[in-house]
Amino acid sequence: MSTSGRGLHGRVLDTLGPAITAGDYPPGSVLRTDELAQRFDVSRSVMREAVRVLESMHLVESRRRVGVTVRPKAEWNVYDPQVIRWRLAGADRPHQLRSLTVLRSAIEPVAAALAAKHATAEQCAELTECALGMVANSKGHRLEGYLFHDIAFHRVILNASGNEMFARLGDVVAEVLTGRTRHEVMFEDPDPAAVTLHVRLAEAIRAGDAGHAEELTREIAEGALQELDILAP
């Protein structure tokens, strides 16, 4: 969702955030709040609010008598969903997609194995519902519908793992799945084999088969990486 829904400072962020993450303002660049306020035709208080948001993401730091300084990429909060969204919208997209997909391949198989041990009956039913929704939207260029169920599916697994650290990665996974769809880093329809793997994964978790759940999730992750090799090398 665009930050423009958050008012004037959101409009500033919609321009300034992507510019910083794209490298238009290299690390060490100093931005003057009054100059930015004039450029965006907003008040200083609105500009300060936008800067506070950027500071919370560790993209910039503000110092009296110095100004707003762009921080090195190594210090950014790269798990912030908005930072991920901005990076996916820019030239850094291939690297961002790959790094996020590798993260998923490391985390989600373990989460799926834990979900097979800890998922409630309600969570198992929700997984099955999501998988069937993915099947129903897997043909006919219905990628938005597929995306909705795909995000929900992976959120359930992370939550069902019973590990609060994994559960908090739900927004990160949602952003990479959304980025793959919105920026057309997918085939016109999802890979049928991947859809089938999700159905089988829901069944494995419902059956309490941790080993099979982990194996199937690794196959899903490997398929996502192979897609990137073809579509976003």
Side-chain angles (χ1 to χ4, degrees):
M1 183 177 68
S2 171
T3 50
S4 58
R6 298 208 301 259
L8 288 174
H9 83 276
R11 177 169 62 82
V12 174
L13 287 170
D14 281 342
T15 300
L16 198 52
I20 291 172
T21 57
D24 294 348
Y25 298 100
S29 299
V30 176
L31 312 177
R32 304 293 179 184
T33 304
D34 52 350
E35 291 176 4
L36 289 172
Q38 185 175 12
R39 172 188 162 192
F40 287 103
D41 193 22
V42 297
S43 67
R44 291 183 182 180
S45 62
V46 168
M47 198 63 234
R48 283 195 295 269
E49 178 60 28
V51 168
R52 277 196 288 270
V53 174
L54 294 173
E55 283 185 295
S56 72
M57 300 172 178
H58 296 180
L59 295 181
V60 302
E61 61 179 338
S62 183
R63 293 181 182 176
R64 291 175 64 85
R65 298 189 179 88
V66 175
V68 179
T69 305
V70 177
R71 300 174 69 165
K73 184 185 292 188
E75 297 178 4
W76 296 353
N77 181 4
V78 292
Y79 289 101
D80 187 295
Q82 183 64 77
V83 173
I84 292 171
R85 208 170 305 148
W86 286 336
R87 294 179 71 189
L88 286 175
D92 198 30
R93 183 184 307 145
H95 176 264
Q96 175 74 144
L97 278 171
R98 190 165 298 280
S99 63
L100 287 167
T101 304
V102 170
L103 174 69
R104 288 183 59 203
S105 70
I107 297 298
E108 288 198 275
V110 179
L114 289 170
K117 297 177 182 178
H118 302 299
T120 64
E122 181 179 357
Q123 288 170 326
C124 288
E126 192 175 353
L127 266 183
T128 299
E129 183 180 346
C130 291
L132 292 176
M134 292 171 72
V135 172
N137 287 275
S138 63
K139 296 180 180 179
H141 311 325
R142 301 168 66 182
L143 288 179
E144 286 294 331
Y146 184 87
L147 173 65
F148 174 83
H149 294 288
D150 195 13
I151 289 174
F153 184 93
H154 290 279
R155 280 193 189 278
V156 174
I157 289 178
L158 292 169
N159 289 328
S161 72
N163 183 300
E164 74 280 7
M165 304 299 286
F166 288 174
R168 286 300 299 274
L169 291 174
D171 288 343
V172 172
V173 172
E175 288 301 332
V176 68
L177 292 174
T178 300
R180 289 170 66 230
T181 300
R182 299 276 163 80
H183 296 294
E184 300 179 352
V185 189
M186 281 186 72
F187 299 106
E188 290 186 348
D189 282 330
D191 179 9
V195 179
T196 300
L197 285 172
H198 282 77
V199 174
R200 292 172 59 197
L201 175 55
E203 293 171 349
I205 290 175
R206 187 174 66 245
D209 190 339
H212 194 38
E214 183 171 351
E215 178 185 338
L216 288 167
T217 310
R218 289 198 190 284
E219 285 190 54
I220 291 171
E222 287 169 8
L225 282 169
Q226 288 171 4
E227 270 190 10
L228 290 183
D229 290 339
I230 298 170
L231 297 168

